[in-house]
Amino acid sequence: MKIITGTAKGRNLKTLTGDMTRPTSERIKEAMFSSIQFDIEHRRTLDLYAGCGQLGLEALSRGAESCMFIDSSRDAMEIVKANATATTLADRCKYLVSDARNYVRKVSGREKFDLVFIDPPYAQECCAELMRRLADGGVLALGAIVVCESGTERIDPASFADFELTKSKSYGSKTSLNIFIYRGTGDDTL
């Protein structure tokens, strides 16, 4: 696994051994970043379920301002930190070992992000729930991009009036990629 492009292009990333994390495949990561490539610079990024940190680090390599990495595994967070150092992007990173739901609850009303990656273990089927928590908690800036990678979970765009679906694609029968823009409710200032 490598950083595709930007300041850390070609740098190898470490991953945890075993089944604790499921890194995004290169094919899906390329499709994801092709869709948002012109909307990454200067974005405050949140990488929920960071795993090895590849999505947040790719965004930083492409010009994102900063990235907050969240993962409930201490071992995973150590890999994220090692990868941030290896890619020379650590100065724009923050890290927290936490459950994603707890983090969103704690940061609600105190911090806003412009780019969010939600890539949980597929069995959790929590992308839609987290999108709602992010919006209801005031954690998304207007125009924020929210990228969801899921397994069998289907996200009904009609149930999110404050989001605009810009991309929805299935990769085989096991992976779905959905990209949304947060349009807000009119009360989204911090």
Side-chain angles (χ1 to χ4, degrees):
M1 192 175 338
K2 295 180 181 215
I3 298 292
I4 299 169
T5 196
T7 60
K9 180 181 179 178
R11 299 278 173 102
N12 290 319
L13 300 175
K14 296 178 184 178
T15 61
L16 279 175
T17 56
D19 297 333
M20 279 195 61
T21 60
R22 172 207 35 80
T24 298
S25 75
E26 291 296 314
R27 177 180 172 214
I28 294 171
K29 185 169 81 168
E30 285 185 26
M32 180 187 299
F33 280 94
S34 289
S35 296
I36 64 172
Q37 66 182 332
F38 300 113
D39 298 311
I40 297 173
E41 285 191 1
H42 311 296
R43 298 238 179 198
R44 294 161 295 169
T45 306
L46 174 61
D47 189 350
L48 295 170
Y49 303 95
C52 69
Q54 73 165 323
L55 300 180
L57 293 170
E58 184 73 41
L60 289 171
S61 180
R62 293 170 182 244
E65 179 181 306
S66 61
C67 188
M68 170 60 87
F69 293 93
I70 306 297
D71 202 286
S72 61
S73 165
R74 289 191 185 285
D75 291 337
M77 197 56 70
E78 291 305 314
I79 294 288
V80 173
K81 290 176 181 178
N83 285 334
T85 299
T87 57
T88 67
L89 299 168
D91 62 325
R92 293 186 283 150
C93 299
K94 292 182 182 177
Y95 319 92
L96 184 65
V97 175
S98 174
D99 173 77
R101 291 173 184 95
N102 287 340
Y103 174 76
V104 171
R105 181 179 48 80
K106 288 177 184 175
V107 77
S108 289
R110 296 188 310 184
E111 193 163 357
K112 289 192 183 280
F113 294 94
D114 308 298
L115 175 59
V116 178
F117 297 102
I118 305 173
D119 184 13
Y122 288 171
Q124 288 190 15
E125 296 194 352
C126 61
C127 289
E129 173 197 349
L130 279 166
M131 284 177 57
R132 180 55 45 221
R133 286 177 182 244
L134 288 163
D136 291 349
V139 181
L140 298 174
L142 285 174
I145 297 170
V146 180
V147 179
C148 299
E149 183 182 336
S150 60
T152 57
E153 178 184 13
R154 297 296 172 240
I155 301 170
D156 178 13
S159 65
F160 293 98
D162 41 359
F163 287 90
E164 175 187 342
L165 180 65
T166 61
K167 180 181 181 94
S168 182
K169 180 151 174 71
S170 292
Y171 295 87
S173 61
K174 296 187 179 191
T175 304
S176 293
L177 175 65
N178 291 286
I179 301 176
F180 297 86
I181 296 177
Y182 179 65
R183 297 298 183 200
T185 61
D187 186 29
D188 295 303
T189 57
L190 179 64

